Amino acid sequence: MNQKPLFTEKKYLITLVFVTSLFMLWGIAITMADVLNKHFQHVLKLTKSQSAFVQFAVFGAYFVMGVPAGLFMKRFGYKNGVLLGLSLFAGGAFLFVPAAYTSSFGFFGIALFILGCGLSTLETVAHPFVASLGDQRTSDQRINFAQSFNAVGAMLGPYIGSYFLLRHNTPGSTDLTSVKLLYAAIGVVIAIIAVSFSFVKVPQTIDPHASVKDEDAVNVDVAPNKPLFGHRHFVWAVIAQFFNVAAQAGTWAFFINYGHEKMGFSDEKAANYMVLFMGMMLAGRFIGTFLMKVIAPNKFLACYAAANILMCVVVAQGLGWTSYLALLMINFFFSIMFPTIFSLGIKNLGAHTQQASSFISMGVVGGAFFPFLMGKAADSYGIEHAYYLPILCYVIIFLFGYRFYKVQPKRFK
C-alpha cells in the first residue's frame, strides 16, 4: 500500500511560510492598482479606457519580465530570484514619490511598470518554489494554499487603497500627496522584508517535477529531449492563463465603477465592497484546497469556468442586487483558476519546469490588454455590458479544464 504523500516536510516549513507570505504581498499590490485606477480617473481627469493604462503597465511588465525572471531563477536559484523581485517591487514603489511631484501619468506608468516587473519575478519564482517544497502529488494543494494568502492580500489592497486614496476624495482635487505617502511606505516595508529574507537559510530543494512519483503517471513522457512546446498541456496552460488573467484584470479594474454607476454607491463604499469581493476569492480558495483532496483539479476548474459564464450573463443585465451578487460570485469561482492552471501546466515537465513557469507567468500579459477593451465597451455601451466580454475567456478556461489539461502519454515504437 502506497503511503499518502505529505503536504510538505518539516525542514521546509519556515521556507514555505516565508514564500507563502510573498503571495499576500503581490495580492495587495495588484488590487491596490484597481483602486489607483479609479483615483486617477478623478485627480488626473482620465476616461475609463485611459485609466486602464494602470493595468497595462503592471501586467505588461509580466510579459517583459517573465522569461528573464525564469532565466535568473534557473541560474541563481529560488532565493536570489525572490530577492530580485522584492528589490524591483520596492524600487517601483519609491518611484511614486517623484511621479507624484511631477503629476505625470507617464511617470506613474514607469513606476508601475518597474513595480510590475517585481511582481512578475515574484510570481515566476514563487509558484515553482512552493511546488518544489514537497511531493508532486500534493503540489496542487500547496499552490492553492499559498494562493489563499494571495486572496488575503487581495482583500487588504482595496481596503488600504480606499482608506488612503478614496476616503478624502473631493471633486476637482488634483492632490497626489496620499499616493506619494502610501507608496513610499510600501517601498520601506518591502525593502525591510527583502533584507529579512536575505538572512533566511533555505534548505536544498529537489524539484518534484523532475521525477514521476504518481503511479498513475508511470507512462508519462518526461524525457528531457522532448521540447517544452511539444507538451500540449503546457501550451494550453499558457493560453488558458492569458485569458484567465484577462478576465480577472478587466473584472477587477471596473468593479468600483460598477458599484458607483449601477448601484449608486460612493467610490469609497464601492471600494469597501471590493474587500468583500476579494473575500469571496479567499473563501473559494480555502474551500477549493479542501475539496481538491476528493475532486480532480481539472474538473473543479471546468465547473468554475462554466459557473462564471453564467455569472457574467447575469451581471451584464444590470438587475440591481441580483447582478451585483453575481459580480461578487465571479471572484468566488475565479478563486482556484490561476493556481490550478499553473499547477496543471507544469505537471511532469522535468527539467523544463522552471522555463515553463516563466512562460505561464508571461500569459499574465492578458491582463494588460483586456481592461482597455472593457474600458472602451464601458465608455460606449455602459459598464454592465462590458461584462459580456469575459465570457470568451471562461470558455477557453473551460476547454482547458475539460479536455486539454491532459499530459500526453508516451508513444512506444
Side-chain angles (χ1 to χ4, degrees):
M1 181 181 293
N2 291 332
Q3 186 176 2
K4 186 177 180 180
L6 296 173
F7 182 77
T8 189
E9 296 178 38
K10 185 177 180 180
K11 65 179 180 179
Y12 295 131
L13 281 177
I14 294 177
T15 304
L16 180 64
V17 168
F18 210 105
V19 177
T20 297
S21 72
L22 301 178
F23 285 73
M24 183 176 71
L25 294 177
W26 78 67
I28 291 173
I30 289 290
T31 54
M32 195 179 296
D34 299 315
V35 179
L36 195 64
N37 180 312
K38 182 61 177 176
H39 187 60
F40 281 159
Q41 289 176 29
H42 284 298
V43 297
L44 297 178
K45 306 298 183 291
L46 305 176
T47 66
K48 295 182 185 70
S49 57
Q50 289 172 332
S51 68
F53 185 74
V54 171
Q55 277 70 32
F56 179 82
V58 173
F59 289 107
Y62 276 74
F63 179 77
V64 173
M65 196 63 188
V67 169
L71 293 173
F72 184 91
M73 170 179 61
K74 191 169 185 177
R75 175 67 177 83
F76 298 104
Y78 291 127
K79 181 176 180 177
N80 288 322
V82 168
L83 292 175
L84 173 64
L86 290 173
S87 299
L88 290 170
F89 189 169
F94 285 131
L95 282 177
F96 271 71
V97 176
Y101 277 120
T102 61
S103 297
S104 168
F105 189 48
F107 203 153
F108 278 118
I110 294 172
L112 284 163
F113 178 80
I114 294 174
L115 187 150
C117 285
L119 304 184
S120 172
T121 303
L122 291 178
E123 288 214 40
T124 300
V125 175
H127 284 91
F129 201 171
V130 169
S132 73
L133 300 177
D135 194 288
Q136 180 176 356
R137 288 170 290 179
T138 56
S139 64
D140 299 299
Q141 295 175 36
R142 278 194 304 280
I143 292 177
N144 271 285
F145 175 78
Q147 279 282 359
S148 297
F149 289 89
N150 178 258
V152 172
M155 291 177 65
L156 292 173
Y159 177 79
I160 295 169
S162 172
Y163 185 84
F164 287 100
L165 302 181
L166 300 181
R167 186 164 59 108
H168 299 301
N169 248 351
T170 55
S173 173
T174 58
D175 186 17
L176 290 163
T177 301
S178 58
V179 176
K180 174 180 63 179
L181 294 177
L182 175 58
Y183 277 86
I186 291 171
V188 170
V189 171
I190 298 302
I192 291 172
I193 292 172
V195 172
S196 300
F197 187 60
S198 68
F199 290 103
V200 173
K201 184 175 178 59
V202 177
Q204 184 176 0
T205 60
I206 299 175
D207 190 343
H209 300 280
S211 60
V212 178
K213 299 181 180 180
D214 191 339
E215 62 181 0
D216 295 329
V218 170
N219 290 325
V220 171
D221 181 7
V222 293
N225 293 330
K226 187 174 183 179
L228 175 59
F229 283 88
H231 295 271
R232 191 182 70 174
H233 73 288
F234 157 73
V235 174
W236 268 92
V238 173
I239 296 170
Q241 202 69 288
F242 176 93
F243 284 100
N244 172 51
V245 181
Q248 170 202 312
T251 300
W252 291 8
F254 300 110
F255 178 86
I256 297 175
N257 287 98
Y258 193 98
H260 178 70
E261 296 177 23
K262 303 306 298 181
M263 302 301 295
F265 300 150
S266 66
D267 289 341
E268 184 184 2
K269 184 175 181 180
N272 288 336
Y273 268 105
M274 196 172 188
V275 178
L276 175 61
F277 184 55
M278 296 304 168
M280 299 296 287
M281 183 171 70
L282 175 62
R285 281 186 176 157
F286 276 121
I287 292 171
T289 300
F290 175 76
L291 291 179
M292 279 185 191
K293 296 178 180 179
V294 293
I295 301 174
N298 68 288
K299 293 179 180 177
F300 224 55
L301 181 65
C303 289
Y304 274 25
N308 263 355
I309 292 172
L310 176 60
M311 294 302 106
C312 285
V313 171
V314 176
V315 171
Q317 307 312 305
L319 301 174
W321 276 103
T322 299
S323 292
Y324 200 63
L325 290 173
L327 180 56
L328 292 171
M329 287 302 298
I330 285 177
N331 231 27
F332 178 87
F333 294 120
F334 168 77
S335 60
I336 57 97
M337 290 185 183
F338 187 97
T340 304
I341 292 170
F342 208 108
S343 61
L344 290 173
I346 61 175
K347 287 287 188 186
N348 302 101
L349 293 180
H352 295 307
T353 300
Q354 292 174 323
Q355 186 182 13
S357 176
S358 299
F359 281 108
I360 296 175
S361 292
M362 286 175 65
V364 174
V365 74
F369 299 102
F370 209 69
F372 281 117
L373 297 179
M374 288 189 67
K376 285 287 187 182
D379 287 333
S380 301
Y381 306 108
I383 190 68
E384 72 276 22
H385 294 129
Y387 281 86
Y388 277 122
L389 294 179
I391 291 176
L392 170 63
C393 301
Y394 293 118
V395 169
I396 300 296
I397 296 167
F398 173 82
L399 291 174
F400 174 68
Y402 180 73
R403 180 178 178 85
F404 297 114
Y405 73 94
K406 296 179 181 178
V407 178
Q408 295 297 290
K410 280 184 178 180
R411 288 180 170 82
F412 297 99
K413 295 181 179 179

